[in-house]
Amino acid sequence: MLPDDFENLSTTIVASNLMANNVLAAITTKNYWDVANDYKPLMHLWYVGVLFQFYFLYFLASLIHNKKLKREEFKDFKQILGKEIVCLTLISFILYLLPQFSTAQKFYFLPFRFYEFGIGMIYFYVEDKVKIFRNEVWSKLFCALILVFLCWNFRMIPDSTRLVIVVILTILFLASVSINESIIGKGVLAKIGKRSYSIFIWHQILLAFYRYYFSNKNGILFIILYLGTVLLVSEVSYRLIELKSYKYAGKKVIVGGISLWALSTGLSLVVFFHAGVVRDVPELGVYMNNVHRGMHKEYCDRIYSYDHDFMNNGRIKVFVTGWSFARDFANILLESEWGDYIDLSYAPTYTEDYNDRIREADYVFVWGNKNNYLDDLFDISDGAYWGIGPKNFGESNGIIYKNRFLQNYFEQVVEIDDSFMVENEDDKKQWGNNYIDMIRLIQIDDGVIPVFTDDNMFISQDCRHLTEAGARYYATLVDWDTIFRKRYNN
């Protein structure tokens, strides 16, 4: 794996071993649906983190509720924490509905997902009293509706609302069947259910490594082979690990588990503190004898140091605002032939605190939509106000790096995700001629884009942000004469 990906994997292993991968995901990726997650083998263990945190909370609450809790009392756990579970479920559901919290927080953190577990527990308490829909017709209907809401994208229904509907339908489905006599309790579904944890663990690991090392193209043949492989590996895992752990539960299992936990955590920490570097990667400028933490993103993030007032040093005052894509463009500016002639000031996002700096600027470069306030300050026809477009270099450099021993390694190209093309066209309509099209600058035949610069360096280390070599490469492509000499002819 590339160093950044290997470092991320080691971080995920440590977080997963601590049952806190959901916390890591909320801090880092934030978006579960980000395409980058498709290439992370342990991305899905965020759910195990939520699940085990719930188990721990329930155990802790039970312990507090019954100071002299005996083992046999666990067996009749309908009598434990009834009112408390109802209260916690209501609180969690209210938190989930509040708009003050981000989508990432609601997706990854237990307080916002406790209500899903809580509703299931409440149903378990009253299951023997609920026989409203108990017949085969209702059970099939609710099962079908669950599948529809899981698989179909109802644009008129927000994601958060769809989740609540699925939870309610699941409870109604459970209420419509007799657990001991239904399809849940016997047959193929029961066998799959017993192996569901192994299937869950292995499905993402196999999919991520396939994407990273073989191909990100998924056809019918792949789906058949993939599902067969998942079932086969899961069956082996279920029989050799799960069943034997249950059968031989004791000191050997505990010692073995702790040993594996310590070994995987220790090795992962070694990789983490070495920034994921286990070999030289010249195409990224990464070498074993020159490694330090944070090296993979520091070039893009160095622009944060330019978040200050203008120096008034007689240079052209350039104000750049926007998140990481704007920082990339600021690096391109500094690497360009005009780098020695500009006084750069940067702001992550526009606020009124930057008004004085903006009024003083000769040029303003913005990533994203046009800002109405800035429209009033700058005449776009005068060439002082420019929009910066998005850019994309595929899904993962892993599928490029796997070919490093092939003759045409540095000639590889990738297709751009359609969503970036749509965003690019929308932005271009807003900005007109004062738009820096970062995609069109490097596009070649059939709309594909190169992965490497002319001197065989990765343009981007994460398929979105620029390496130093990538910034220098872009600096040779931008038409600076049109931008600067439009106002500064001399």
Side-chain angles (χ1 to χ4, degrees):
M1 300 181 81
L2 285 165
D4 196 22
D5 298 327
F6 199 32
E7 180 187 21
N8 287 334
L9 176 60
S10 68
T11 307
T12 308
I13 290 173
V14 174
S16 299
N17 282 355
L18 296 174
M19 300 302 172
N21 200 26
N22 58 316
V23 178
L24 176 67
I27 295 172
T28 55
T29 307
K30 295 183 175 67
N31 179 13
Y32 172 79
W33 304 106
D34 193 315
V35 69
N37 283 333
D38 292 347
Y39 298 85
K40 295 181 178 180
L42 301 182
M43 169 274 296
H44 59 315
L45 296 189
W46 72 268
Y47 173 70
V48 177
V50 174
L51 187 63
F52 274 81
Q53 288 160 23
F54 166 75
Y55 287 158
F56 181 76
L57 177 65
Y58 183 75
F59 168 76
L60 189 63
S62 300
L63 210 57
I64 296 173
H65 188 268
N66 295 274
K67 293 182 179 179
K68 297 181 179 180
L69 198 62
K70 297 180 180 178
R71 187 177 182 86
E72 57 268 18
E73 288 182 294
F74 275 110
K75 297 177 182 178
D76 189 21
F77 97 163
K78 287 186 180 183
Q79 305 301 318
I80 301 173
L81 292 176
K83 295 180 180 179
E84 288 87 343
I85 292 299
V86 172
C87 291
L88 289 174
T89 300
L90 288 173
I91 293 171
S92 174
F93 187 63
I94 292 171
L95 288 174
Y96 178 76
L97 296 177
L98 290 177
Q100 289 90 340
F101 300 100
S102 69
T103 302
Q105 290 172 323
K106 291 181 179 181
F107 190 95
Y108 286 114
F109 289 133
L110 177 62
F112 305 97
R113 307 210 68 147
F114 182 91
Y115 79 92
E116 298 173 63
F117 298 108
I119 289 174
M121 294 176 70
I122 292 170
Y123 170 74
F124 185 75
Y125 293 152
V126 300
E127 185 264 339
D128 57 338
K129 301 176 183 178
V130 179
K131 301 178 181 179
I132 302 174
F133 305 106
R134 187 157 291 175
N135 64 67
E136 189 176 349
V137 175
W138 282 112
S139 66
K140 290 181 178 179
L141 174 63
F142 291 133
C143 188
L145 287 174
I146 291 170
L147 292 174
V148 168
F149 274 91
L150 284 174
C151 300
W152 193 260
N153 183 18
F154 291 94
R155 295 188 181 276
M156 71 291 294
I157 304 177
D159 291 344
S160 56
T161 304
R162 286 208 300 272
L163 175 59
V164 174
I165 292 174
V166 169
V167 172
I168 294 172
L169 287 174
T170 303
I171 292 298
L172 291 175
F173 170 71
L174 291 173
S176 68
V177 298
S178 174
I179 300 300
N180 294 326
E181 299 175 1
S182 72
I183 57 174
I184 297 176
K186 60 183 179 180
V188 176
L189 286 182
K191 291 181 179 178
I192 293 176
K194 290 178 179 178
R195 294 153 177 80
S196 61
Y197 187 72
S198 287
I199 292 172
F200 170 75
I201 291 296
W202 285 107
H203 85 280
Q204 174 62 17
I205 294 174
L206 294 172
L207 181 61
F209 278 114
Y210 172 81
R211 286 178 177 273
Y212 200 94
Y213 289 110
F214 294 98
S215 173
N216 58 352
K217 306 297 182 184
N218 302 329
I220 298 297
L221 179 60
F222 159 76
I223 293 174
I224 295 173
L225 292 174
Y226 166 69
L227 292 177
T229 304
V230 169
L231 291 175
L232 177 61
V233 174
S234 299
E235 180 68 19
V236 173
S237 175
Y238 172 71
R239 290 181 178 275
L240 297 185
I241 298 177
E242 286 194 66
L243 289 182
K244 289 190 180 296
S245 294
Y246 301 147
K247 184 176 180 179
Y248 301 109
K251 288 184 178 180
K252 289 184 178 180
V253 173
I254 294 173
V255 171
I258 293 175
S259 299
L260 288 173
W261 183 94
L263 180 63
S264 60
T265 301
L267 290 175
S268 297
L269 286 172
V270 171
V271 172
F272 172 74
F273 286 114
H274 208 250
V277 180
V278 293
R279 69 180 69 85
D280 292 344
V281 187
E283 54 268 56
L284 278 175
V286 173
Y287 298 92
M288 288 286 290
N289 60 358
N290 185 22
V291 174
H292 57 274
R293 295 280 311 120
M295 60 186 292
H296 302 302
K297 65 175 184 175
E298 65 183 5
Y299 182 73
C300 181
D301 289 353
R302 72 170 184 154
I303 300 300
Y304 281 121
S305 65
Y306 288 85
D307 188 358
H308 55 63
D309 293 334
F310 289 111
M311 301 292 191
N312 294 317
N313 51 16
R315 298 181 178 182
I316 302 170
K317 296 181 176 63
V318 176
F319 182 77
V320 178
T321 182
W323 292 108
S324 54
F325 281 0
R327 296 200 300 278
D328 278 332
F329 185 75
N331 274 320
I332 294 172
L333 275 167
L334 295 175
E335 299 289 352
S336 74
E337 59 185 319
W338 288 81
D340 293 333
Y341 302 98
I342 64 173
D343 182 7
L344 178 66
S345 178
Y346 169 74
T349 185
Y350 166 74
T351 67
E352 292 184 357
D353 295 336
Y354 295 105
N355 283 353
D356 292 339
R357 209 185 299 181
I358 292 169
R359 292 189 186 97
E360 191 179 351
D362 298 311
Y363 286 89
V364 170
F365 294 91
V366 178
W367 175 67
N369 295 328
K370 288 179 66 180
N371 186 295
N372 293 330
Y373 175 80
L374 294 177
D375 284 347
D376 296 334
L377 284 179
F378 290 90
D379 182 1
I380 194 167
S381 63
D382 189 36
Y385 185 28
W386 293 78
I388 308 165
K391 57 192 181 304
N392 176 253
F393 304 91
E395 295 181 355
S396 168
N397 280 337
I399 59 178
I400 302 296
Y401 188 61
K402 70 179 177 63
N403 298 320
R404 60 189 179 277
F405 302 114
L406 300 182
Q407 189 174 1
N408 63 344
Y409 174 51
F410 294 110
E411 299 170 12
Q412 294 181 93
V413 295
V414 293
E415 297 178 357
I416 301 176
D417 187 276
D418 290 340
S419 63
F420 284 90
M421 295 302 296
V422 171
E423 180 184 350
N424 190 52
E425 293 303 316
D426 290 343
D427 289 350
K428 189 184 296 184
K429 290 177 182 178
Q430 292 184 45
W431 290 96
N433 292 330
N434 282 40
Y435 183 66
I436 303 171
D437 192 331
M438 304 292 286
I439 292 177
R440 300 293 181 192
L441 280 174
I442 60 173
Q443 267 189 320
I444 51 180
D445 298 339
D446 299 324
V448 296
I449 61 171
V451 178
F452 296 101
T453 65
D454 294 337
D455 54 353
N456 298 336
M457 301 290 287
F458 270 113
I459 297 175
S460 171
Q461 58 96 6
D462 61 358
C463 294
R464 297 181 184 181
H465 307 110
L466 299 178
T467 60
E468 184 175 351
R472 290 198 302 268
Y473 179 65
Y474 259 103
T476 65
L477 302 176
V478 177
D479 186 0
W480 301 111
D481 287 350
T482 300
I483 295 175
F484 288 115
R485 290 202 171 95
K486 187 173 182 177
R487 302 184 76 213
Y488 290 86
N489 293 322
N490 58 348

